[in-house]
Amino acid sequence: MAKTPTPADEDQDLGEAGAQLSTAPVEAPETGPTGKLPSMGVIGWARWFWRQLTSMRVALILLFLLSLAAIPGSLVPQTSVDSVKVEDWQKAHPTVTPIYEKLQLFHVYSSVWFSAIYILLFISLIGCIVPRTWQFVGQLRGRPPGAPRRLTRLPAYTTWRTEAEPEEVLAAARKVLRGKRFRTETATGSVAAEKGYLREAGNLLFHISLIVMLVAFATGQLFKAEGSKLIVEGDGFSNTMSQYDDFKPGTLFDQDDLQPFSFDLNGFDSSYERTGPEKGTPRVFRAHVTYYDGVDGKPSKRVVEVNKPLETGGSKVYLQGHGYAPVVTVRDGKGNVAFRGPVASLPVDGKNLTESTILKVPDYRDKDGKKDQIGFQGNFVPTLDLDVVKRTGTMMSQFPALDSPALVLTAYHGSLGLDSGLPQSVYKLDTSKMKQFKDKGGKPFADLLRVGDTMTLPNGAGTLKFDAIKTWATFQVSHQPGNGTALAGAVGALLGLAGSLFIQRRRVWVRAVEGEDGRTVVELGGLGRSESAKLPEELGDLALALQPHAMPVPEPDPGTDPSDPADPADPSEGARA
């Protein structure tokens, strides 16, 4: 005599049918058989710590801490990005600077505490992924579990009677399920089917992609190299360390890793909005270059724009800025040429390109032939409006284009400080050991020059002629070896997240047994990883697809003759959530 299943047996049976719908690792209980905490030695504590570190809860906490740790890197100037800005910030905040230095807030992304969070997150993700992967592989190799004793306990269920034989119904059910890409397993009197493995594959892909992104970011920081260079029209650049104006290598970057390439700046095109609220906004901003890929590379012409970098030698060359370089000829007191060429001027306002002009001439002789050093300091103004100058008293440009260019300079003589051995910026003039030239009235000497004009220094000290105007452009050469890998990791993470959110893991069982009246009783039950309104709908669709092979017949009414004809039932109406 068959044993009647008890509620406890049914719950256990349903638990086995719904087991392993997730690849989440099963954690070992932390209590012993008596319900008390077991005594743990060194190995026990090490296992406990490893379980905590590799849990998804801790991984999410570390990911949140990493995002919080990155906030100071956005708010506080970083030495790896702009060391000059860091120095200016430290001078402006002398009180908190020592505290920030101890906390490594000027080197956030290479600090000990940021690296510790980064490494712990890396280990946590690996420790979380490995057991999930093996468990998922085991599920792929396994077969769907057998049907529970009572399918009526499942969230989705439907049933009907048919004249077809049980074997015919099960064979048809297996065919229908396989047609809908279910993996099936046949048992005595039932067929088990399973679908939705891509959900767990999406989970694994998401976590693996996070590791790929972490590795890519770490590789990019360790082996990156970024440098900038200001190039005047007609000049060029070669990818060697000495050619850079500013260079920031990664921790493990070696200068031998610089790939050989070079390029020349042939010209620069720029145009600006003339009217309206956006007056002065650049409309055309592009540099025409000729580049050589490799030592013996053939010349190739290219247009570099703000969002269209030049890619060569494993690096990207970005267009960063633009300005003007007055071309001047300086003659000393004896009439000899002491300097001739363009003087790159740096903008002091970002909109209309008023620029600061500095020129140092160390090899210079006065009218008596004595050695001296001379320096020029002033402003280059692309569009000068004298009426505005008289009204405001400021020498500021009114438009960034060369509508009315002018060069306003004063001059100093004495020691430029070049012999001190200390490095100097070519864009700053140290006048602490110099004297400014005076005019006949004893006032500081200055002159306004247009193209073609000549400035004559007092006391026969020499002349400066404003010959022409050239353009210059600043370029940033960036070598980021991990960018492609990081992009692949980001795409993989999005795909994995989409799969884990929109794909549902579910199981379906079809049972066909002979009833007491000699007809076949067909039962369909469905179970998903989580409650979903789509599961009963899908079960109803499966029942409708099975109907042509197992036509339903009406349930016998106790008050009627079973032989009376009646309309067949619609199996989809029996599906419920």
Side-chain angles (χ1 to χ4, degrees):
M1 182 176 180
K3 179 182 178 182
T4 303
T6 64
D9 295 333
E10 294 171 355
D11 292 340
Q12 181 181 3
D13 181 51
L14 184 59
E16 292 174 355
Q20 297 182 347
L21 277 174
S22 171
T23 54
V26 180
E27 295 186 2
E30 297 184 0
T31 58
T34 61
K36 299 181 179 179
L37 289 174
S39 59
M40 296 190 298
V42 176
I43 297 178
W45 280 109
R47 289 178 177 174
W48 178 87
F49 178 79
W50 176 254
R51 286 199 303 269
Q52 301 304 313
L53 179 61
T54 56
S55 65
M56 184 56 61
R57 178 180 63 255
V58 173
L60 292 174
I61 293 174
L62 290 173
L63 190 60
F64 178 70
L65 290 177
L66 190 68
S67 62
L68 289 181
I71 294 178
S74 302
L75 300 178
V76 181
Q78 299 296 294
T79 304
S80 60
V81 177
D82 192 340
S83 58
V84 176
K85 190 174 182 180
V86 172
E87 293 177 2
D88 295 340
W89 194 95
Q90 291 176 342
K91 292 178 181 179
H93 305 82
T95 304
V96 298
T97 293
I99 301 176
Y100 279 30
E101 289 179 341
K102 290 182 179 180
L103 295 176
Q104 298 178 305
L105 294 183
F106 299 111
H107 311 272
V108 168
Y109 303 111
S110 59
S111 63
V112 174
W113 49 273
F114 188 88
S115 301
I117 299 174
Y118 200 91
I119 293 173
L120 285 175
L121 177 60
F122 188 81
I123 296 174
S124 179
L125 287 175
I126 293 179
C128 182
I129 287 173
V130 171
R132 291 176 71 102
T133 302
W134 285 116
Q135 187 170 342
F136 181 56
V137 171
Q139 291 183 23
L140 290 177
R141 297 176 61 184
R143 307 305 299 173
R149 292 187 182 92
R150 293 184 60 184
L151 294 179
T152 54
R153 299 179 61 85
L154 297 180
Y157 172 80
T158 186
T159 182
W160 71 91
R161 293 174 181 270
T162 181
E163 297 288 354
E165 295 296 327
E167 293 78 8
E168 296 176 1
V169 174
L170 295 178
R174 186 166 55 250
K175 183 178 180 181
V176 169
L177 290 168
R178 287 180 177 177
K180 293 184 177 294
R181 300 190 300 276
F182 276 85
R183 187 175 64 167
T184 62
E185 179 72 11
T186 303
T188 303
S190 66
V191 174
E194 194 167 12
K195 190 178 182 181
Y197 283 98
L198 288 180
R199 178 188 180 95
E200 307 306 331
N203 283 332
L204 293 176
L205 177 61
F206 175 75
H207 290 89
I208 293 173
S209 297
L210 286 182
I211 293 180
V212 171
M213 293 173 64
L214 290 175
V215 173
F217 292 149
T219 302
Q221 290 295 318
L222 293 175
F223 296 96
K224 73 173 183 178
E226 291 182 349
S228 59
K229 177 65 177 179
L230 185 149
I231 304 175
V232 179
E233 178 185 353
D235 292 341
F237 166 80
S238 180
N239 192 31
T240 58
M241 193 75 74
S242 59
Q243 289 277 299
Y244 285 97
D245 295 333
D246 182 37
F247 190 79
K248 303 182 184 67
T251 306
L252 300 181
F253 184 84
D254 189 89
Q255 62 179 358
D256 294 335
D257 297 331
L258 290 173
Q259 297 298 316
F261 70 87
S262 59
F263 63 91
D264 300 325
L265 178 61
N266 303 325
F268 193 92
D269 294 337
S270 62
S271 65
Y272 305 89
E273 187 67 36
R274 290 281 177 178
T275 59
E278 295 185 355
K279 181 181 178 181
T281 303
R283 293 306 181 195
V284 177
F285 206 70
R286 54 176 175 246
H288 299 270
V289 302
T290 300
Y291 71 96
Y292 306 84
D293 198 353
V295 178
D296 301 321
K298 296 181 180 180
S300 301
K301 294 186 180 297
R302 177 72 181 272
V303 176
V304 183
E305 300 183 57
V306 174
N307 295 320
K308 297 179 181 179
L310 167 66
E311 298 186 26
T312 179
S315 301
K316 291 184 178 181
V317 182
Y318 296 91
L319 177 61
Q320 294 290 102
H322 153 68
Y324 301 104
V327 181
V328 300
T329 299
V330 179
R331 295 182 181 273
D332 60 17
K334 304 295 290 184
N336 299 320
V337 176
F339 175 86
R340 176 179 289 156
V343 182
S345 303
L346 299 184
V348 295
D349 75 71
K351 184 176 181 181
N352 293 320
L353 291 183
T354 302
E355 297 183 336
S356 172
T357 304
I358 300 294
L359 174 60
K360 302 177 184 180
V361 185
D363 298 326
Y364 196 84
R365 293 183 183 273
D366 60 16
K367 63 181 180 179
D368 299 324
K370 294 182 180 180
K371 290 184 178 182
D372 199 2
Q373 294 181 341
I374 193 169
F376 297 88
Q377 180 174 282
N379 294 104
F380 174 77
V381 185
T383 300
L384 179 65
D385 190 333
L386 293 178
D387 294 335
V388 176
V389 174
K390 293 178 181 179
R391 187 172 63 252
T392 62
T394 58
M395 191 72 63
M396 302 297 290
S397 176
Q398 303 303 306
F399 197 73
L402 295 173
D403 291 347
S404 179
L407 181 62
V408 181
L409 292 176
T410 185
Y412 299 81
H413 67 96
S415 174
L416 293 170
L418 300 177
D419 300 329
S420 63
L422 299 177
Q424 278 192 15
S425 171
V426 296
Y427 305 110
K428 292 183 179 180
L429 181 64
D430 183 7
T431 60
S432 60
K433 297 181 180 180
M434 305 188 77
K435 294 182 179 180
Q436 189 174 11
F437 282 99
K438 306 290 184 178
D439 59 15
K440 293 181 180 180
K443 296 181 179 180
F445 173 79
D447 201 356
L448 187 150
L449 305 174
R450 301 286 187 176
V451 176
D453 292 348
T454 300
M455 180 176 70
T456 302
L457 297 175
N459 304 322
T463 61
L464 180 146
K465 183 179 180 182
F466 186 8
D467 298 319
I469 303 172
K470 288 188 175 183
T471 58
W472 58 258
T474 52
F475 297 90
Q476 182 185 44
V477 181
S478 178
H479 176 68
Q480 297 283 355
N483 282 354
T485 305
L487 177 60
V491 173
L494 291 176
L495 293 176
L497 184 61
S500 63
L501 291 177
F502 298 108
I503 299 177
Q504 183 187 13
R505 182 83 177 275
R506 65 270 196 199
R507 287 170 179 165
V508 173
W509 292 272
V510 180
R511 176 177 289 152
V513 295
E514 185 177 346
E516 295 180 356
D517 58 353
R519 294 173 177 175
T520 301
V521 179
V522 182
E523 291 182 289
L524 270 72
L527 179 65
R529 181 179 174 183
S530 58
E531 293 290 340
S532 174
K534 293 183 179 181
L535 183 60
E537 295 178 5
E538 185 175 27
L539 193 69
D541 293 339
L542 290 173
L544 288 175
L546 186 58
Q547 179 178 353
H549 308 281
M551 292 297 296
V553 297
E555 293 286 342
D557 190 345
T560 60
D561 189 348
S563 61
D564 291 341
D567 294 333
D570 184 355
S572 62
E573 296 178 357
R576 59 166 174 76

